[in-house]
Amino acid sequence: MSLMPYTVQSFRGAFAMVWYEGKQRHRRRLYSTDRSSAEAEARQLWQEADTAPWTVGRIVTGYIDKLAETAPPSLQRRRDAWKAMRSYWDNVDPSRIDDTMCEGYHKARAVSDATSRYELQLLSTALEWAKGKASYTEKPKVWLPPKPERQIRHLTHSQFEAFFEVVRAPHARLYVLLGLYTMARPTALLDLTWDQVDFDLRQIDLNPPGRRQTVKFRPIVAINDALFEVLLNAFAARQTQYVIERGGRRIDNIKKAFQAASLRCGFRVTPYMLRHTGAVWAAEAGTSMAELAQFMGHDDDRTTQKHYARYSPGHLKKAANSVQRRPRKHE
C-alpha cells in the first residue's frame, strides 16, 4: 500500500501513474516496463513536480515509500508507527522541531518509552533521508526519551505448563512448542515451510530459500526428541506447505491465540517470550554461552552473555570462590 497520493496501474501492456485533483482523474504513461522500475519512475516524477512544502508528513511518507522498494521486514511496523504519529506531525515544518516539541509528543502519546523512542527515531531517520531534498541542509535534532533497560521476560517451568494447558487450537499448540524448542523469532516460525524441516538429519533451517541473512540471523537448529514427534504428526496432517497453518491456510499472526490463552491462565504471555524461555532454560541446564549463541543466531556470545549468563548455574562462581579470607594466625 503506497502512502503517496497516486497509484501505478497497468496500462496498455505497460504502466501509468494515476492521480486525482479534486474529482478530476489524471493519467500519465510511464516508460518503464516492469513494476518496480515504474514505481521508481512515478515517485521521481511526482517529487519533481510536487511544489508543496516539505512538511514532516511529506518527508516521512516519502521515506517509507522509498523503503517499500526493498520491502524490509520493518516496513509494516514503520507504516503503523506513522499512522500513530501522523495527527501530531503531519503538517509540521521541520525547522520548528526542537526538544520541546518532541517531549510534547512523547507526553501526548502516553505510551511506553520504548514505543515513543521508536517513533521519534523513525522521524529522525526520515529527516536524515530528506536532507538535501527538503529546505534544510542540517538535519533538525530530534530529542529521544531515554533508552529503556531491556528486561528478559521468560516463563518458569510451572508457568509454561499452566499456559500450554489452556492453549486450545492445534496450530497454536504447535507454534508454542516450536517457539520453545527452537528459540526462533516469531516471524521465522510463521514463515517456516516443510521443506526447511529435515527429518533425516533432525534439523530445521530457519532461513527460507532466497532470503538474504540480515542482522536477525536465522540459524540451522537441531530438533530434540520431544519436538520431533510433534512435527511428525503435524507433517502427516499437513494441508499446506507452511508448518503453522489453520484450515488449509497460512497463519500470518499468532497474537490473538496468545491473548486468549493469557486470559485463561491469568498471566500475560507473548510469542517472543518463548524465545527467552528456551534460552533461560538452556542456560539453567548448563549450556555454554557459545553454543547457546549459535542456536539463537547471535553473531557472537556477547549478546548471549549479557542476557542469559546469569541464569547459568556456574555464572561467576569461580570469581566468587576466588575471594577467600585469610585469618591471622595467633602465636
Side-chain angles (χ1 to χ4, degrees):
M1 180 183 69
S2 175
L3 296 174
M4 286 295 191
Y6 63 82
T7 58
V8 174
Q9 301 178 6
S10 299
F11 178 64
R12 296 180 181 176
F15 296 93
M17 182 171 68
V18 178
W19 72 97
Y20 286 84
E21 294 178 6
K23 294 184 178 180
Q24 182 66 38
R25 184 173 182 267
H26 298 271
R27 180 173 60 205
R28 174 169 175 169
R29 185 163 186 165
L30 302 171
Y31 291 101
S32 302
T33 56
D34 64 272
R35 176 162 288 278
S36 60
S37 298
E39 290 176 350
E41 181 184 350
R43 182 166 47 256
Q44 182 178 0
L45 288 170
W46 188 267
Q47 290 178 356
E48 290 174 351
D50 191 355
T51 58
W54 280 87
T55 61
V56 169
R58 182 180 176 188
I59 289 170
V60 178
T61 54
Y63 168 67
I64 292 176
D65 272 295
K66 179 65 177 177
L67 280 181
E69 292 180 14
T70 55
S74 61
L75 180 61
Q76 188 56 52
R77 186 182 179 191
R78 297 187 192 210
R79 283 174 168 164
D80 292 340
W82 175 239
K83 287 179 183 178
M85 300 167 65
R86 193 165 199 159
S87 61
Y88 188 95
W89 292 106
D90 199 14
N91 296 314
V92 171
D93 183 335
S95 65
R96 292 178 52 205
I97 296 175
D98 57 15
D99 288 0
T100 301
M101 178 169 281
C102 294
E103 289 175 24
Y105 172 74
H106 174 58
K107 184 177 181 180
R109 275 287 281 141
V111 293
S112 69
D113 285 354
T115 298
S116 181
R117 184 181 176 89
Y118 179 85
E119 293 169 356
L120 288 168
Q121 281 180 323
L122 170 60
L123 171 62
S124 180
T125 305
L127 289 169
E128 179 66 30
W129 168 81
K131 190 168 64 176
K133 303 179 182 67
S135 57
Y136 55 88
T137 55
E138 185 175 344
K139 188 196 81 172
K141 185 179 179 181
V142 176
W143 172 89
L144 299 175
K147 189 173 183 179
E149 185 69 25
R150 186 181 178 190
Q151 295 183 342
I152 300 299
R153 297 182 62 237
H154 69 281
L155 301 174
T156 65
H157 287 269
S158 61
Q159 285 175 330
F160 177 85
E161 296 303 329
F163 173 74
F164 189 62
E165 185 177 338
V166 296
V167 177
R168 293 174 180 171
H171 76 279
R173 292 179 67 84
L174 174 59
Y175 179 97
V176 170
L177 294 177
L178 269 171
L180 176 70
Y181 290 131
T182 67
M183 305 178 213
R185 297 178 178 89
T187 303
L189 294 180
L190 296 176
D191 288 344
L192 188 65
T193 57
W194 285 112
D195 60 4
Q196 294 170 246
V197 181
D198 190 327
F199 285 104
D200 293 329
L201 294 178
R202 293 200 174 200
Q203 292 180 338
I204 297 175
D205 186 348
L206 291 169
N207 196 49
R211 177 188 177 271
R212 180 176 58 85
Q213 290 283 17
T214 67
V215 292
K216 303 293 187 181
F217 189 85
R218 298 187 185 182
I220 297 174
V221 298
I223 303 172
N224 67 15
D225 292 341
L227 183 59
F228 185 77
E229 294 300 323
V230 171
L231 286 174
L232 279 178
N233 292 333
F235 181 76
R238 73 192 184 283
Q239 293 181 280
T240 73
Q241 63 176 324
Y242 290 97
V243 176
I244 305 299
E245 61 169 304
R246 184 179 188 181
R249 300 181 65 180
R250 177 188 180 183
I251 297 296
D252 293 322
N253 195 310
I254 200 72
K255 289 181 180 179
K256 287 185 178 179
F258 273 70
Q259 290 168 353
S262 295
L263 288 174
R264 287 192 285 269
C265 73
F267 52 89
R268 183 170 179 263
V269 179
T270 66
Y272 211 97
M273 284 175 66
L274 298 174
R275 176 173 169 84
H276 295 316
T277 298
V280 169
W281 290 6
E284 289 175 338
T287 302
S288 73
M289 292 297 105
E291 186 176 0
L292 185 55
Q294 290 186 50
F295 202 94
M296 299 187 75
H298 293 161
D299 287 340
D300 54 52
D301 65 5
R302 286 178 296 180
T303 298
T304 321
Q305 290 271 4
K306 178 181 177 181
H307 297 303
Y308 304 108
R310 64 182 180 271
Y311 297 103
S312 176
H315 179 54
L316 299 182
K317 280 192 175 180
K318 182 177 179 180
N321 291 331
S322 68
V323 181
Q324 299 287 337
R325 293 178 61 193
R326 295 182 180 179
R328 188 174 60 177
K329 294 181 179 180
H330 297 282
E331 296 181 2

